[in-house]
Amino acid sequence: QVRLVQSGGGLVQAGGFLRLSCAASGSILSLNTMVWYRQAPGKQRDLVATMTSGGSSTYADSVKGRFTISRDNGKNTVYLQMNILKPEDTAVYYCYTTATDFSGINRAYWGQGTQVTVSS
């Protein structure tokens, strides 16, 4: 069993910043690409950013230049630094990854989600 536990959400004003964390724990042999998604009420869940285990990253056009994804493989943790936040960034943010456990089984895992609210 692998678990992803998120932290760092909250309420900020437009132009502010937040840093999200997603820590993996459990019987982890390896973590693959780690991904941030977000979902606003009544909207689809959209991909925000990804980072491979080797450090290659991608971003949605809507956040490129404002958000930065990073990971600490030693801590099995991925981060999302969100700067110059806009009201349209308001959503529940989810961490996602696939992981291989000590039995050699690869599965998909989701964090519990954390609310980010940006006021205007």
Side-chain angles (χ1 to χ4, degrees), residues 15-38:
F17 57 90
L18 286 171
R19 190 193 194 202
L20 305 183
S21 298
C22 175
S25 62
S27 56
I28 302 168
L29 181 62
S30 63
L31 297 173
N32 301 308
T33 297
M34 301 194 78
V35 184
W36 288 100
Y37 287 86
R38 67 185 182 186

Side-chain angles (χ1 to χ4, degrees), residues 4-8 21-23 92-95 110-115:
L4 302 180
V5 179
Q6 299 178 219
S7 62
S21 298
C22 175
V92 177
Y93 284 70
Y94 297 91
C95 178
W110 289 90
Q112 81 277 17
T114 186
Q115 178 71 49

Side-chain angles (χ1 to χ4, degrees), residues 1-113:
Q1 178 72 31
V2 177
R3 297 182 179 183
L4 302 180
V5 179
Q6 299 178 219
S7 62
L11 281 68
V12 297
Q13 295 190 150
F17 57 90
L18 286 171
R19 190 193 194 202
L20 305 183
S21 298
C22 175
S25 62
S27 56
I28 302 168
L29 181 62
S30 63
L31 297 173
N32 301 308
T33 297
M34 301 194 78
V35 184
W36 288 100
Y37 287 86
R38 67 185 182 186
Q39 186 169 26
K43 304 292 186 179
Q44 67 181 19
R45 186 170 297 186
D46 293 329
L47 188 147
V48 176
T50 71
M51 180 166 279
T52 68
S53 61
S56 298
S57 61
T58 67
Y59 298 91
D61 288 343
S62 59
V63 307
K64 190 174 183 179
R66 299 187 297 119
F67 290 11
T68 303
I69 187 172
S70 62
R71 65 189 288 170
D72 185 334
N73 290 330
K75 296 182 178 180
N76 290 328
T77 300
V78 64
Y79 307 91
L80 186 68
Q81 180 68 46
M82 305 183 294
N83 297 325
I84 319 175
L85 284 161
K86 303 175 180 179
E88 66 189 73
D89 296 319
T90 296
V92 177
Y93 284 70
Y94 297 91
C95 178
Y96 166 88
T97 192
T98 57
T100 302
D101 64 18
F102 293 157
S103 298
I105 299 173
N106 188 279
R107 295 173 179 169
Y109 299 92
W110 289 90
Q112 81 277 17

